[in-house]
Amino acid sequence: MPGEEEFVVTPYEVKGRIDYERLREQFGTQALTHELLAKLHHIAGGELPPALARGIYYSHRDLGTLLDGFAHGTPFFLYSGRGPSGPLHTSHLLQFQLCQWFQQRLGVPMYIQITDDEKFWSSKGGIAREETARWGLENLIDILALGFDPKRTRTFFDSRSIAAMYPLAIRIARKVPYSTVKAVFGFTPSTNIGLVFYTALQTVPAFWPSWAEGRAIPCLIPCGIDQDPHFRISRDMAESLGYPKPALLHSQMVPGLLGESVMSTTGDRSDNALFLNDPPEVVERKVRHAFTGGRATVEEQRRLGANPEICSIWALWRTQFAESETKFAEVTRGCRSGTLLCGECKSQLRERVGRFYRSHAENRAKAAEWAESTIVTEAPKAL
Ligand code: TRP
């Protein structure tokens, strides 16, 4: 069935059953190999975070060069972002948890972009400006609460940081022909012109520190692979503007609780993800109703074991909630062998997620006090 093979991945559309290896080849990125992970492990020390150790991050551009540079005394900075259209769910945290781990291990600066303009332009159902701005701040607080260092973390909040970004955005925009954005993002004649310009703004943070300091500072961008098209554009122009090409680390899209093989926000079914503002009883209900890889009967499951690969609960353990490799291996083994039944597995996960929500609430209250102070408002140079 040819139809089954088809999938589309752009920053504005993720559709179909994604074949990640094929996507990597289409995009022309490199595989994240064991050797490279070992190098990272060596440089950073300690256990690798779940998203790296368990293959959720699976592709990269120039990570090896960036790490070699770091090992030889050239520090880099991190950059990642969020388009605010509503509350964050747990899978949205992945890229930021990874950044926080890098910052803590290597002491590097972090730049967060909150694209309240992008979501106003791109949201299909239409979303009010007040909403993208409000969620922008809420999302930022959730991100900072993951443990970012207030002294080393800066935010580009597009509508509020535009004066700081614009002198650089001007230069970037001049390097991007309309034919490129049309081809890369699949824009049509009815696409609004905000989105046509927007990609220039998503490139700004990748070059901003180099621009501000007047020297080449390498950049590492952990992101979902759907964001790669923006950064192909950044990389293509980097050298002509005198900046290093940003390195990238790409993750797969995390499946939702209802078991679709696509992005967790697919459709508007809020039961498909655990939102950070869900009250405990809602989290409980969502976990209870989540799609699993269990068998029809207990007897069958004891005999044959269950299938973690299609299970949304296992995906939660894998991506974030099994903190150690030992715990992750225990859950996986129990599932496959039929000794851990779905009810028990779900109740363990509920407990673990509940613990995360409680500590997150505390960290969030603290981060709310300094979130505003991270927002960059002044350009280093007027021109
Ligand atoms: N475009 C991203 C989104 O829709 C937001 C974003 C901005 C981003 N800058 C980024 C994501 C850098 C990853 C890395 O959510």
Side-chain angles (χ1 to χ4, degrees):
M1 277 203 293
E4 280 223 326
E5 305 262 292
E6 275 160 32
F7 58 87
V8 175
V9 177
T10 78
Y12 300 110
E13 185 175 32
V14 177
K15 207 171 65 184
R17 189 172 292 266
I18 304 169
D19 176 336
Y20 282 102
E21 273 319 301
R22 252 181 64 205
L23 182 62
R24 204 175 59 63
E25 282 158 24
Q26 274 174 21
F27 280 5
T29 68
Q30 289 121 33
L32 189 54
T33 58
H34 287 300
E35 291 73 39
L36 205 44
L37 286 175
K39 184 183 282 201
L40 180 56
H41 189 229
H42 177 71
I43 292 174
E47 218 176 55
L48 291 174
L52 282 176
R54 301 173 201 160
I56 293 124
Y57 277 84
Y58 83 114
S59 153
H60 76 100
R61 291 184 190 269
D62 291 346
L63 180 67
T65 318
L66 181 109
L67 292 178
D68 289 341
F70 184 85
H72 291 99
T74 310
F76 61 89
F77 68 94
L78 297 154
Y79 159 39
S80 199
R82 153 77 181 160
S85 56
L88 292 179
H89 55 69
T90 55
S91 311
H92 285 135
L93 298 178
L94 272 186
Q95 75 211 55
F96 298 106
Q97 284 166 329
L98 182 59
C99 288
Q100 193 274 336
W101 176 83
F102 269 110
Q103 183 178 70
Q104 192 171 40
R105 286 276 154 190
L106 307 178
V108 291
M110 168 77 190
Y111 287 82
I112 299 165
Q113 182 174 34
I114 301 290
T115 61
D116 58 326
D117 49 354
E118 176 192 20
K119 287 297 136 149
F120 180 65
W121 289 325
S122 72
S123 132
K124 297 216 168 64
I127 172 168
R129 261 296 294 146
E130 291 73 13
E131 288 290 288
T132 60
R134 179 169 78 86
W135 285 117
L137 191 59
E138 294 292 317
N139 292 175
L140 175 62
I141 295 170
D142 281 316
I143 293 166
L144 295 172
L146 297 176
F148 285 101
D149 174 355
K151 290 190 290 297
R152 291 202 176 98
T153 306
R154 290 275 149 283
T155 303
F156 293 104
F157 196 118
D158 285 357
S159 67
R160 298 169 61 178
S161 303
I162 191 65
M165 303 166 78
Y166 202 58
L168 185 52
I170 293 171
R171 293 184 173 83
I172 293 168
R174 191 164 71 150
K175 297 282 179 191
V176 189
Y178 175 67
S179 57
T180 299
V181 289
K182 183 167 178 279
V184 168
F185 302 111
F187 289 159
T188 66
S190 65
T191 302
N192 69 63
I193 61 171
L195 282 186
V196 173
F197 177 70
Y198 170 74
T199 195
L201 290 180
Q202 187 155 327
T203 288
V204 166
F207 300 157
W208 201 90
S210 295
W211 176 54
E213 295 200 20
R215 64 192 170 90
I217 312 178
C219 172
L220 174 63
I221 310 176
C223 60
I225 189 142
D226 61 313
Q227 296 296 312
D228 184 71
H230 283 295
F231 301 119
R232 273 192 318 258
I233 297 179
S234 322
R235 287 170 54 87
D236 280 349
M237 77 173 79
E239 277 158 5
S240 74
L241 288 174
Y243 303 123
K245 286 185 182 197
L248 293 157
L249 248 177
H250 304 108
S251 70
Q252 301 183 354
M253 311 278 124
V254 178
L257 290 177
L258 301 176
E260 283 122 332
S261 60
V262 286
M263 281 175 94
S264 27
T265 45
T266 298
D268 49 17
R269 304 184 62 178
S270 71
D271 272 3
N272 203 18
L274 303 176
F275 289 95
L276 297 184
N277 63 353
D278 281 342
E281 62 280 9
V282 172
V283 172
E284 282 216 32
R285 177 174 51 77
K286 287 182 177 178
V287 171
R288 208 168 342 107
H289 293 164
F291 178 81
T292 71
R295 303 279 172 180
T297 65
V298 168
E299 186 278 322
E300 224 181 279
Q301 186 151 338
R302 291 253 183 246
R303 192 156 45 85
L304 303 169
N307 181 3
E309 270 74 31
I310 60 166
C311 177
S312 68
I313 297 294
W314 184 74
L316 287 171
W317 285 120
R318 173 175 178 237
T319 50
Q320 289 164 292
F321 291 105
E323 284 154 302
S324 66
E325 292 316 306
T326 321
K327 175 70 188 168
F328 179 57
E330 180 193 304
V331 170
T332 307
R333 213 177 317 111
C335 174
R336 279 197 221 287
S337 67
T339 52
L340 176 61
L341 296 178
C342 296
E344 168 61 17
C345 181
K346 282 183 166 179
S347 94
Q348 284 185 25
L349 183 84
R350 262 203 314 273
E351 198 274 319
R352 173 70 194 89
V353 171
R355 223 173 345 113
F356 169 77
Y357 272 58
R358 286 190 294 279
S359 75
H360 185 70
E362 271 174 39
N363 298 337
R364 193 180 197 286
K366 287 188 215 118
E369 290 169 18
W370 55 275
E372 292 268 352
S373 73
T374 64
I375 299 175
V376 179
T377 53
E378 269 174 62
K381 299 169 193 160
L383 292 175

